[in-house]
Each structure stands twice: as structure tokens, then as C-alpha cells.
Amino acid sequence: MLLLAIETSCDETAAAVVRDGCEMLSSVVSSQIAIHAEFGGVVPEIASRKHLEMISPVISQALREASIAMSDIEGIAVTRGPGLSGALLVGFSAAKAIAAARQIPFVGVHHIEGHIFAAFLEQKVAFPFLALVVSGGHTHLYHVEGFGRYTTLGRTIDDAAGEAFDKSAKIMGMPYPGGALIDKMAGSGDPQAVRLPRPLLHDGTLKFSFSGLKTALLQHVARHPLTLPSQEANDLCASFQQAVCDVLTAKTETAIRQTGTRHLVVAGGVACNSCLRSRMSELCCKMGIGLSIPHPSLCGDNAAMLAVPGDYYLSNGLNSDMTQDVTATWDMDLIKGLPA
Ligand code: KG4
Ligand code: ZN
């Protein structure tokens, strides 16, 4: 099927054209980051208004770049949740309107399900596999048995990894969102310079916790005021990043051992992190299992990733109907795919 995909769950207005759930013909992402940076975080009302302004031009650009006419599109995959309700509503309403006008099916897809299957745009992976999702709102380990068949093995009990990166960056005086900047500065820093905690590292569970690490960083900055740029700041970034990666790597190793999985998929915005990418490839090499971490352009929010599960659902008649609404919260374990 030739699908149009639409994503507006947070601060990126995105649209893509994807053939058969694997061939990406275009992927357009219009970021609102510069607008929200002024406020130190995403302002939901501003996000909705900006999505409203950008949704039509972004869809038009995605069609143009794919050299596809709207009349060629056979179905639509759109983020239904989780995310900011007002932001989700813009993309979801656009999808419904196009589906109704063109008399084609549409399906509401879980945002994190999209992140996991972004890897399939580069190379298909055999089921079952283990997925580590690290984004602004999620730090989850999932056992993935098929499309729509997910079991949460472990998750954060407080902050998500991306949230920890962004909040820590803010404490260090960096602009929002600071994750990518911490990664860059850490490249010139010493990861052993500052001793920081590794929360829940040896508790034997698959639970994550990052709020204590962020508090330790806050206390360090209170004792040793930071100037930017400086070697001290680079060292603190490297030490923080190392602590996060130590925990993510150790818990993922435990999950690999527990499940006996043969393949790991790492997904979400934090999967852009250079330290995490190399630690995960070392881990999978050591454990002798396969690894998929999409190109950084597919790790962050985009619409193409939704077309992978979207194509599966629409091809199997699992369409959404016009009475369906967006959902700000949505447990992945409750998604119903086809039985095995
Ligand atoms: O998946 P994503 O684009 O949006 C959500 O669904 O949340 O993830 C965004 C998160 C932000 O917290 C951002 O700071 C983080 O991903 N991020 C990074 C890097 N690039 C983006 N964190 C660490 N290192 C990076 N290079
Ligand atoms: Zn995301």
C-alpha cells in the first residue's frame, strides 16, 4: 500500500510517504524547538497552534518530495497517542478529514510503536525481539512478539532518559532540549571526572530511575558553579552521560539474559546519543546477538516510522473508524494486533 503518515504528538509536525511499510519515499519534519526553547520546554497551546499552521504545508511537501499526488495515496497512518492532546488532535483530525474526503482507510498508531518500527525502514527484523525505547517521555524495555503484541518488561519509575538529559542540561544552563548538546560537550570531557550515582544499577530488576541522578547533578552544580563553555562543563556532561549509559546498558543486558532474545532494537530520540550507540553495539557484540539502531534522522520524531505498523494494520483490515479519538496516555501492552 502507498501510505501517507502524519505525526503531531509533541513539538514536531511531520509527514511522510511510505510504500508497503518499508520504502520511504519522503519524510518531512518541521521542528518547533526554536519556538519552545524560549520558554525552556514545550508549551502545549503554542505547539497546537503551530501544528495547525504547519500541517497542510508539511503534508504537501511530503507528497511533492515523493512525486506522489494525493489521489495516489491508499491509506493513512497517524499518531493517536500518547502525547499532548491538543497537538495530537491536529494530525488526527487532518488524517480523518483526508480519509473521509478520499474514501480511504486510516489507522491511529501508538507513537512508541512507531519509534520501535523505525528500524524496519532500514532493515526488517525477525520476531520476537527486545526493544529499548529511550525518548523524552519513555524509558521502557519491551518484548516484541509481532505487530501489536508488546509486553513491558521494565520501565522508569520517575524521569525518562530524555527528560533526565533535558532537565540536567537546564541545570547546567543549556538551552532546551539539551540532550544533543550534552552529547556534543561530553565528546571533549572526562567521564571519570565527577562521581555520580547509577540508580537501581544492581537491584536485579528491569526498573529504571533517573531523578536521583539529576538531583546529584544539581547538588554538584550548587557546590561547584558552572560556566559555559568550559572544561568543567564538558567533564560534567561526560560523567552524566556515562552514568545514564551505564544504567541503560546494564538493564538491557539483564533483559537480554532473561528473555534469551537474539536481537535488540534501540529506539527513540536518546538513541541518537553517540555514547549509547557505541555501548549498545559493544553489548550486542559481547552477547552475540543482532542490533538495530536506526540512523539518527529516524530516531527522533518523524512520520515515516508510523507507516511500518500502519501498513500492517491497514493490510489486515485493522482500520480505525471516525468515532475514534486521540489519547494522551496509552499503555502499549493494551494494543491488540492479530493473534499469533
Ligand atoms: O523521541 P523524541 O524525538 O521525542 C519524544 O517522543 O520524546 O525524543 C526526544 C528526546 C529529548 O529528550 C532529547 O533531548 C533527546 O531525545 N535527545 C538526545 C540526543 N538527541 C536527542 N539525548 C541524548 N543525546 C542525544 N544525542
Ligand atoms: Zn517520540
Side-chain angles (χ1 to χ4, degrees):
M1 284 182 104
L2 191 59
L3 295 196
L4 171 67
I6 300 172
E7 150 67 35
T8 62
S9 67
C10 189
D11 57 354
E12 255 105 29
T13 316
V17 177
V18 178
R19 197 192 305 276
D20 298 333
C22 61
E23 191 191 343
M24 190 169 78
L25 303 183
S26 67
S27 176
V28 177
V29 180
S30 166
S31 176
Q32 308 177 358
I33 281 177
I35 299 162
H36 298 292
E38 203 183 315
F39 303 95
V42 178
V43 183
E45 181 61 27
I46 296 176
S48 314
R49 286 173 191 274
K50 198 68 195 166
H51 282 309
L52 211 47
E53 192 184 313
M54 294 310 295
I55 190 76
S56 291
V58 164
I59 291 173
S60 301
Q61 192 182 337
L63 292 169
R64 205 167 45 244
E65 287 185 12
S67 304
I68 292 290
M70 184 65 98
S71 53
D72 297 326
I73 296 292
E74 296 167 289
I76 304 172
V78 59
T79 308
R80 181 181 167 223
L84 303 168
S85 298
L88 287 162
L89 204 53
V90 177
F92 206 69
S93 306
K96 277 184 175 175
I98 298 168
R102 294 262 352 277
Q103 293 290 299
I104 54 174
F106 81 101
V107 62
V109 176
H110 194 291
H111 180 76
I112 296 303
E113 192 177 14
H115 273 302
I116 292 172
F117 287 106
F120 281 48
L121 291 166
E122 292 175 342
Q123 196 175 20
K124 273 194 181 149
V125 177
F127 296 112
F129 58 82
L130 177 72
L132 170 69
V133 178
V134 274
S135 70
H138 281 69
T139 300
H140 281 57
L141 279 160
Y142 295 103
H143 179 58
V144 181
E145 287 177 274
F147 288 107
R149 295 168 55 218
Y150 317 107
T151 310
T152 300
L153 303 174
R155 53 172 298 175
T156 179
I157 56 170
D158 42 54
D159 291 350
E163 198 179 350
F165 266 98
D166 296 343
K167 286 179 176 171
S168 299
K170 195 170 182 176
I171 292 167
M172 291 188 269
M174 300 173 190
Y176 172 87
L181 188 54
I182 289 185
D183 188 359
K184 189 162 172 247
M185 289 170 62
S188 315
D190 172 9
Q192 314 295 335
V194 183
R195 274 187 59 177
L196 292 170
R198 270 84 173 138
L200 306 184
L201 185 64
H202 298 299
D203 73 339
T205 74
L206 297 176
K207 286 182 189 147
F208 299 90
S209 167
F210 293 108
S211 73
L213 171 59
K214 177 194 65 195
T215 306
L217 184 128
L218 178 69
Q219 287 166 345
H220 177 87
V221 173
R223 283 195 305 271
H224 308 91
L226 212 57
T227 46
L228 289 177
S230 66
Q231 187 55 44
E232 287 71 30
N234 293 346
D235 289 346
L236 188 55
C237 286
S239 303
F240 169 81
Q241 182 172 276
Q242 182 88 339
V244 174
C245 289
D246 279 356
V247 177
L248 292 174
T249 309
K251 298 277 174 176
T252 305
E253 178 168 349
T254 304
I256 293 170
R257 289 188 195 283
Q258 282 182 5
T259 55
T261 191
R262 301 305 309 147
H263 199 95
L264 172 70
V265 169
V266 185
V270 183
C272 293
N273 187 268
S274 53
C275 172
L276 186 65
R277 294 175 82 89
S278 61
R279 294 288 296 274
M280 288 295 151
S281 91
E282 279 164 28
L283 174 66
C284 290
C285 209
K286 178 179 107 177
M287 307 292 286
I289 68 165
L291 170 68
S292 303
I293 311 185
H295 184 273
S297 61
L298 289 172
C299 289
D301 287 348
N302 66 87
M305 64 187 192
L306 305 164
V308 182
D311 191 274
Y312 168 84
Y313 291 131
L314 292 176
S315 304
N316 286 283
L318 297 171
N319 316 355
S320 297
D321 66 49
M322 289 292 167
T323 62
Q324 196 177 72
D325 204 353
V326 299
T327 171
T329 56
W330 188 3
D331 189 342
M332 280 259 288
D333 298 39
L334 300 179
I335 297 175
K336 299 248 181 331
L338 290 177

